[in-house]
Amino acid sequence: MEESKDKFPHIPERIAGLGELAYNLWWSWHPEARMLFKMLSRPAWKLSVHNPVKMLHDIDGETLDAAAKDPKFLRHHDAVLARFRSDMNPAGNWFYSRIADPAMLPIAYFSAEYGLHHSLPFYAGGLGFLAGDFLKECSDLGVPVVAMGFMYPEGYLRQKISPDGRQADESETIDRENAPITRVLNGMGNRLTVRVPIIEPPIYVEVWKVLVGKVVLYLMDTDIDANDPWNRGITSHLYAGGPEQRLRQEIVLGIGGAEVLNTLGIKYSVLHLNEGHPAFAILERIRERVSAGAAYEDAFREVRSTTVFTTHTPVPAGHDVFPFDLIEKYFHPYWPALGLSRDAFFQLGIAPKEPNAGFNMTAFALKASAYHNGVSRKHAEVARSMWHQLWPDLPEDKVPIVHITNGVHVPTWIQPKTSLLYTNYLGAQWLADHDNRDIWELTDDIPNKELWINHYWHKMKLILRIMDRARQRWFDAREPRLILASGVLLDPNVLTLGFARRFATYKRATLLFQDVGRLKKILTDRWKPVQIIFAGKAHPADEPGKKLLQQVFSAAEDSSFGGRIAFVEDYDEQLAQYIVHGVDVWLNTPLPPLEACGTSGMKASLNGVPHLSILDGWWPEGFNGKNGWAFEGAEGELRDDRDAEALYEILEKEVIPLYYKVDDDGVPRDWVRVMKEAIKSNSPVFSARRMTKEYAEKFYREALKSATGKAGISG
Ligand SMILES: *Cc1c(COP(=O)(O)O)cnc(C)c1O
């Protein structure tokens, strides 16, 4: 890549591959590539917070020159680059051998967020990580995807807890120069600027890109001189506040995104919408065909037959409904371009049960796509009941919304040391073939003690990491109470529960506090104590979520809990890695049926951390009676009390006794059996690989057959 040479003129030619690697997130899921940067300079790696672009900008020329002459470093450099080059080769991969011909046009994937790495804060939570993990897996399987999203220049919400336990929001501006992104230029070598078509007054975007292995993700940015101030802010934050700015954001994502691909000359065969936010992309695809002379009905039919839509939540706030007067304001020049009347246009977005509510993005996406899914078996059931209104003639169980359960990108979420342990007992092919269930049967052959010591090591690492953060905050002269609440009293020998996720109210972070007396008794037991690590951010506009956070925080600093509750600030991808590797039990207590899937428990299971969860989201599919713990959610007014009761029961009767039943060699044998069961039953199934193959086999293969100008499709 020529561009990376311009960016790092001080890197000697012999190791110029480093610059190329730094700008492709492929490095982030290949431990040998991470090791290469670490070998170059451990301090620089650490100071850059594991961001190779920043590291290579900051590092001194002497270190680079020495590396370029060090035979050991060169061996590693060449080996990693060889692996990288071979992985970048599209030939001979799963997708082209099983689904379609290499001559096919790519699949366009649109999403409002992507969680790829902590240096790219373009996510709020699960939806983003799902999209990020999906892109990485598409690269691994060779699914030809081109992705579209936003750069949120002020997207980084740094969480800081104030002395009264409130979350103070501080947004941090992205440092474009030091992030693994590059600007997309036009043919003249200038910044590419694209106008969002038809919409008045005009909105312009500039475009950046991120390389995710073989996949290119384009990011639109409205914070540019060509825009007036109101437009500049459209993409400044995720999910902009206020319906109008939110509508403008979704116009840019869908219509602007489609136009960017157009301008770049990227034609695509299938459109996949990750949640309803980018659904306007469908309109733009139709408009392109109408303006080329097609009748609206034909264009609609053709576009519909090649569009895939994934709905991600039953929570009402997750489904945008825009008032018709706002739709009118922005789209009045648009419906004539489609050949539609105002009413016919509005009709596209009407949910029959609430015809006057406005333009419903989910209803529209469902009507205008041929393939739709929910993200777990249970969620698809809920979605069929929510959207039965669109197919009133069908029985509810025949409503065409199937399930493709989410999964996590295994190379990203497996702890590297644990990965080596699996290699020793599951065989060298385990990672390459990780969705093969048979391989995981060998988990039973891992000696109990070895698995236990490995886990203990990660638990220590997590606690030391938390203490290091606390020390830094102490040094920054933060409140002593905050330091005490942030985990300095954690004990690696104590059964540790982890609860880390967004502080959305339906996730019920405070369910355990329903009976404070009982909780205190559990946590402060003299011989079998329990500790809990909490982390997570509330959306800045979510007052109730912030209240829950404050409640957890005040428990963390309340001495009567005996220092057994920790609240760790500033949850992000990096902290998530430490927590899902290092706690003993992953706790999940949403209000059913609102957790469409949940993925953090999958990350934990993969690393041998069993899941204790209410039966919602993925857990009804994942729980087999031996690989963790489950309870049914109660119904009715007292459901919180009863759910908490069920949770206390499981903790007191099952989890705590099992954990503390230790053999003479110091290993809790029966506990380790649960860990092994979690690893072997959940890892192959709840992987992004299984998920991505399902999208390809259930949706893309069929949609590609409908794509016009199709290349010979196999399978
Ligand atoms: C995996 C992940 C999530 C999603 O967690 P849920 O279980 O879906 O709530 C959110 N944030 C981060 C940082 C993650 O890594």
Side-chain angles (χ1 to χ4, degrees):
M1 189 169 74
E2 288 307 310
E3 300 154 37
S4 65
K5 276 190 200 142
D6 303 340
K7 299 210 181 265
F8 304 115
H10 58 311
I11 299 184
E13 186 64 33
R14 178 69 182 81
I15 53 172
L18 288 175
E20 193 182 337
L21 268 186
Y23 275 101
N24 191 322
L25 291 174
W26 180 91
W27 69 261
S28 69
W29 73 93
H30 291 87
E32 66 273 33
R34 285 201 296 259
M35 188 51 79
L36 184 68
F37 290 114
K38 219 188 271 187
M39 275 174 80
L40 183 62
S41 160
R42 269 177 188 269
W45 177 245
K46 196 161 178 181
L47 281 175
S48 73
V49 202
H50 305 183
N51 172 357
V53 173
K54 179 163 171 49
M55 173 181 175
L56 292 178
H57 278 142
D58 292 350
I59 202 166
D60 60 279
E62 259 168 63
T63 307
L64 289 167
D65 291 339
K69 295 192 193 92
D70 173 2
K72 180 166 175 226
F73 185 82
L74 292 176
R75 272 200 305 278
H76 280 261
H77 173 271
D78 295 351
V80 171
L81 263 290
R83 170 85 198 275
F84 175 60
R85 298 254 148 71
S86 120
D87 270 16
M88 287 307 105
N89 181 358
N93 62 49
W94 177 84
F95 191 82
Y96 291 141
S97 66
R98 301 289 295 275
I99 305 291
D101 196 89
M104 66 171 273
L105 296 171
I107 292 152
Y109 184 81
F110 280 55
S111 177
E113 41 175 307
Y114 293 91
L116 289 158
H117 185 253
H118 60 265
S119 59
L120 295 174
F122 306 148
Y123 61 84
L127 179 70
F129 281 95
L130 190 273
D133 280 12
F134 172 74
L135 296 192
K136 291 172 184 172
E137 193 59 51
C138 282
S139 175
D140 291 346
L141 288 174
V143 183
V145 161
V146 51
M148 184 59 65
F150 280 136
M151 160 128 87
Y152 299 103
E154 284 156 45
Y156 216 146
L157 171 69
R158 283 263 171 210
Q159 183 189 48
K160 229 175 163 178
I161 306 298
S162 62
D164 61 354
R166 298 264 309 158
Q167 167 179 302
D169 304 320
E170 288 182 11
S171 55
E172 193 174 285
T173 307
I174 188 168
D175 176 0
R176 289 177 176 78
E177 287 311 306
N178 282 317
I181 53 178
T182 46
R183 194 185 273 287
V184 175
L185 303 176
N186 63 19
M188 322 271 283
N190 301 318
R191 294 175 177 193
L192 178 73
T193 308
V194 175
R195 182 181 164 178
V196 179
I198 316 279
I199 301 298
E200 292 287 351
I203 304 169
Y204 298 91
V205 298
E206 288 182 0
V207 187
W208 296 71
K209 69 179 175 188
V210 186
L211 303 178
V212 186
K214 292 195 274 285
V215 173
V216 182
L217 162 60
Y218 291 98
L219 303 168
M220 291 179 285
D221 183 5
T222 58
D223 185 19
I224 59 176
D225 295 340
N227 281 329
D228 64 37
W230 200 36
N231 284 345
R232 288 187 79 137
I234 290 178
T235 67
S236 63
H237 299 90
L238 262 145
Y239 308 130
E244 185 160 3
Q245 197 68 329
R246 182 77 169 256
L247 173 63
R248 287 148 47 83
Q249 197 171 55
E250 297 188 9
I251 286 172
V252 173
L253 182 58
I255 299 179
E259 180 66 5
V260 166
L261 291 180
N262 216 351
T263 309
L264 293 170
I266 298 172
K267 298 199 183 315
Y268 51 98
S269 50
V270 171
L271 171 67
H272 187 164
L273 304 168
N274 191 43
E275 192 57 301
H277 314 117
F280 292 136
I282 298 175
L283 293 178
E284 191 55 15
R285 273 187 106 196
I286 298 173
R287 192 187 65 83
E288 284 161 14
R289 284 161 175 76
V290 169
S291 73
Y296 170 80
E297 285 73 23
D298 295 337
F300 182 87
R301 204 174 316 113
E302 186 194 327
V303 166
R304 185 182 175 280
S305 70
T306 52
T307 300
V308 176
F309 168 56
T310 303
T311 175
H312 280 268
T313 181
V315 178
H319 301 265
D320 293 305
V321 182
F322 296 111
F324 289 122
D325 56 342
L326 272 184
I327 294 286
E328 168 128 31
K329 178 172 172 187
Y330 287 93
F331 283 91
H332 68 88
Y334 207 96
W335 55 73
L338 295 173
L340 287 183
S341 68
R342 172 176 176 274
D343 279 355
F345 186 85
F346 285 1
Q347 201 59 42
L348 289 171
I350 284 180
K353 272 194 187 163
E354 292 177 302
N356 302 317
F359 194 98
N360 184 311
M361 295 297 277
T362 308
F364 169 55
L366 284 168
K367 292 184 210 183
S369 59
Y371 304 93
H372 355 264
N373 71 295
V375 290
S376 69
R377 191 174 68 206
K378 181 162 175 194
H379 172 234
E381 230 168 76
V382 174
R384 285 193 290 270
S385 127
M386 275 177 89
W387 297 105
H388 192 192
Q389 50 178 316
L390 292 177
W391 290 272
D393 300 337
L394 295 178
E396 188 175 300
D397 63 344
K398 293 287 184 298
V399 168
I401 301 177
V402 300
H403 74 275
I404 295 181
T405 303
N406 287 342
V408 297
H409 185 245
V410 168
T412 295
W413 294 103
I414 185 75
Q415 209 292 331
K417 258 192 201 304
T418 307
S419 177
L420 289 177
L421 179 69
Y422 293 176
T423 300
N424 286 341
Y425 294 95
L426 277 56
Q429 276 301 307
W430 84 266
L431 189 57
D433 207 8
H434 66 256
D435 61 336
N436 180 344
R437 287 169 180 240
D438 294 340
I439 286 182
W440 292 91
E441 290 299 320
L442 295 171
T443 309
D444 286 339
D445 291 352
I446 305 175
N448 290 339
K449 190 163 190 167
E450 212 173 322
L451 188 61
W452 182 246
I453 289 174
N454 177 69
H455 172 68
Y456 193 81
W457 193 85
H458 293 119
K459 193 170 172 184
M460 279 305 294
K461 223 176 136 158
L462 165 65
I463 292 176
L464 291 173
R465 171 86 202 175
I466 289 173
M467 289 188 180
D468 192 48
R469 282 182 168 227
R471 187 175 301 110
Q472 191 56 50
R473 279 156 175 72
W474 177 241
F475 187 64
D476 294 341
R478 302 279 296 282
E479 276 281 309
R481 292 173 74 90
L482 177 114
I483 310 297
L484 263 183
S486 71
V488 285
L489 296 174
L490 290 169
D491 176 347
N493 295 313
V494 169
L495 169 60
T496 305
L497 315 181
F499 186 101
R501 48 178 62 86
R502 282 181 307 120
F503 268 70
T505 46
Y506 78 85
K507 291 185 183 257
R508 294 197 295 187
T510 55
L511 188 72
L512 265 174
F513 296 88
Q514 208 65 22
D515 180 345
V516 169
R518 190 154 171 194
L519 177 63
K520 280 184 185 165
K521 203 158 163 284
I522 291 172
L523 299 189
T524 58
D525 185 277
R526 181 91 192 267
W527 307 110
K528 294 176 180 176
V530 176
Q531 60 193 2
I532 318 175
I533 299 176
F534 284 96
K537 296 171 183 168
H539 187 282
D542 180 9
E543 265 314 308
K546 288 183 175 176
K547 284 243 151 57
L548 292 185
L549 195 153
Q550 190 172 20
Q551 211 183 323
V552 169
F553 186 82
S554 64
E557 58 171 13
D558 177 346
S559 59
S560 69
F561 284 98
R564 298 295 189 203
I565 297 178
F567 184 89
V568 188
E569 274 180 335
D570 211 21
Y571 184 52
D572 70 354
E573 180 266 343
Q574 203 187 21
L575 183 59
Q577 293 277 6
Y578 281 97
I579 300 185
V580 298
H581 302 151
V583 298
D584 296 309
V585 175
W586 197 255
L587 196 61
N588 184 44
T589 54
L591 187 67
L594 297 182
E595 187 65 276
C597 183
T599 52
S600 50
M602 301 172 180
K603 299 167 190 167
S605 270
L606 168 68
N607 286 283
V609 173
H611 198 211
L612 162 49
S613 171
I614 200 163
L615 283 164
D616 198 22
W618 71 285
W619 199 225
E621 288 162 78
F623 180 59
N624 68 6
K626 301 180 285 187
N627 58 358
W629 301 271
F631 59 101
E632 286 287 351
E635 296 291 339
E637 255 176 58
L638 295 176
R639 60 197 297 192
D640 284 353
D641 286 332
R642 289 164 60 203
D643 287 350
E645 170 73 29
L647 183 53
Y648 297 136
E649 283 280 314
I650 291 180
L651 285 172
E652 290 166 347
K653 298 221 166 92
E654 298 182 45
V655 178
I656 298 170
L658 199 69
Y659 182 87
Y660 284 107
K661 196 175 130 224
V662 177
D663 285 357
D664 291 344
D665 61 355
V667 179
R669 186 159 21 111
D670 294 340
W671 183 271
V672 173
R673 187 172 305 141
V674 180
M675 292 173 65
K676 286 184 176 177
E677 215 27 82
I679 294 167
K680 77 175 173 186
S681 63
N682 291 332
S683 305
V685 182
F686 300 100
S687 62
R689 173 149 312 169
R690 187 272 311 145
M691 169 185 78
T692 304
K693 285 184 175 178
E694 261 192 83
Y695 277 111
E697 286 166 347
K698 290 190 170 151
F699 289 168
Y700 299 161
R701 177 185 277 147
E702 292 307 310
L704 282 166
K705 285 183 189 159
S706 308
T708 51
K710 65 189 169 204
I713 307 296
S714 65

